[in-house]
Amino acid sequence: MGNLSGKVALITGASSGIGKATALAMAEQGATVGLLARRQDALESVASQMGGKGLVLVADVTDENAIQENVAQLVSKTGGLDILVAAAGISLKAPFVETTTDTIRRIMEVNYMGTVHVTKAALPHIRERKGSLVAVSSLTGRQATPEYSVYGSSKFALQGLYDALRIEMLREGVHVGVFSPGFVDTPLRYSVLQGNGLVHEKPPVPPLRLWPVETCVKKILELIRKRKKEAMVPGFVRYLFALNDLVLPDWVSDYYLRYKFGYLGRNR
Ligand SMILES: NC(=O)c1ccc[n+]([C@@H]2O[C@H](COP(=O)([O-])OP(=O)(O)OC[C@H]3O[C@@H](n4cnc5c(N)ncnc54)[C@H](OP(=O)(O)O)[C@@H]3O)[C@@H](O)[C@H]2O)c1
């Protein structure tokens, strides 16, 4: 049995990718895990790999009442809640001018309001146990990135929310952390939206390295164990951000990203 024995976790986005891999790893370490997403069959398949440690919770994170009910159901079955990992999210890659306001609203509804709903529902229980709240953000929520203006701004909003919540919760002993990965090898690549709200016919080719999901799981578990305020993949990027701010103004944030995303040579 691992070091999460006796703990109860709730993971949104547990039917796929980062949420699913985190749920499996937590169950392996002894936690009981509430698996929340919309696709029941996918959640049941994850639960079937968890030796009775997984509880399937079918809900859409944009539906506040459904989230409240599902969290209440989890707590009534398990007696409490120690950890939230809010990983449910959708992606969009498109220039801002090509993105409709309906699509922008949808991204904010799922990525930002979805996390708000689950955080509101989980917080009273996590407070009782001085547990952990973790939001899965993105490096595009730390560094403005061309064609991720809308997706990135949903993650910047999450970062702001969780950074402030971390300070508000300090005296209560609740840990609040943000996990921000670069591009990760998950099924998300096949559902990235265009500006018109339809999925890209061909998954956009990541302009930077694609990281394995296992690297993310390791970082998320360490973030929780050490009660850190943030973790990133790749880890070295934090030093690039610091250098960018202090020593190399505009180099990483402008020239490098313009080069990688094919914006060099265009009019500024
Ligand atoms: N993969 C990357 O390159 C990458 C990079 C940076 C950050 N991230 C972030 O990491 C998180 C997980 O992404 P992933 O790569 O693991 O993607 P994924 O494999 O596509 O998984 C996304 C998960 O979110 C759930 N979800 C989506 N909309 C939902 C809704 N309205 N209500 C409830 N659940 C919903 C999906 O479940 P259902 O479809 O069953 O509802 C699925 O379980 C996201 O927040 C994403 O923004 C990913």
Side-chain angles (χ1 to χ4, degrees):
M1 211 43 83
N3 56 11
L4 293 177
S5 183
K7 302 284 185 197
V8 179
L10 168 63
I11 303 192
T12 71
S15 60
S16 177
I18 297 171
K20 171 182 170 179
T22 306
L24 291 171
M26 284 187 168
E28 207 161 282
Q29 293 199 5
T32 299
V33 187
L35 307 165
L36 192 144
R38 293 163 304 175
R39 285 171 297 153
Q40 185 165 359
D41 51 346
L43 291 173
E44 277 167 2
S45 150
V46 178
S48 71
Q49 300 167 54
M50 294 172 73
K53 291 276 184 193
L55 296 167
V56 170
L57 303 167
V58 181
D60 188 318
V61 290
T62 63
D63 182 342
E64 186 176 8
N65 291 334
I67 294 302
Q68 287 284 350
E69 282 162 19
N70 276 278
V71 171
Q73 193 189 320
L74 175 68
V75 169
S76 83
K77 280 188 184 154
T78 58
L81 185 57
D82 300 277
I83 299 164
L84 166 69
V85 178
I90 54 174
S91 186
L92 166 79
K93 182 175 190 281
F96 177 74
V97 289
E98 290 174 16
T99 309
T100 64
T101 47
D102 278 351
T103 307
I104 296 172
R105 262 191 215 101
R106 187 165 152 205
I107 292 288
M108 291 305 287
E109 275 297 319
V110 177
N111 292 0
Y112 180 70
M113 288 311 297
T115 306
V116 167
H117 294 153
V118 78
T119 303
K120 279 233 172 245
L123 183 53
H125 308 290
I126 286 181
R127 213 176 194 173
E128 273 177 26
R129 294 195 173 183
K130 300 189 188 309
S132 283
L133 294 165
V134 176
V136 177
S137 180
S138 158
L139 290 183
T140 64
R142 291 295 304 263
Q143 169 62 56
T145 307
E147 299 186 358
Y148 288 93
S149 53
V150 170
Y151 173 77
S153 56
S154 73
K155 299 298 193 179
F156 265 95
L158 264 192
Q159 180 82 44
L161 173 72
Y162 263 53
D163 276 349
L165 186 57
R166 180 179 63 79
I167 300 168
E168 289 176 11
M169 287 294 126
L170 275 177
R171 271 192 247 160
E172 312 246 5
V174 174
H175 162 237
V176 181
V178 178
F179 172 62
S180 302
F183 292 100
V184 186
D185 193 4
T186 71
L188 185 76
R189 285 198 295 142
Y190 303 98
S191 58
V192 177
L193 302 179
Q194 308 172 65
N196 60 8
L198 299 174
V199 172
H200 280 273
E201 274 170 26
K202 280 192 189 158
V205 177
L208 301 167
R209 180 179 166 181
L210 203 54
W211 292 89
V213 75
E214 293 75 21
T215 309
C216 296
V217 173
K218 221 170 121 190
K219 288 275 187 173
I220 291 171
L221 293 180
E222 186 188 73
L223 177 81
I224 294 167
R225 195 175 63 250
K226 297 189 176 168
R227 296 174 84 83
K228 287 161 59 170
K229 68 174 183 179
E230 66 179 5
M232 297 177 202
V233 169
F236 66 77
V237 89
R238 67 164 57 246
Y239 303 109
L240 292 182
F241 288 158
L243 271 178
N244 190 47
D245 288 343
L246 289 172
V247 192
L248 300 167
D250 276 358
W251 190 78
V252 172
S253 61
D254 194 322
Y255 182 86
Y256 180 72
L257 289 173
R258 286 172 65 207
Y259 164 64
K260 281 289 181 183
F261 283 77
Y263 278 77
L264 273 188
R266 301 193 191 184
N267 289 334
R268 292 181 74 117

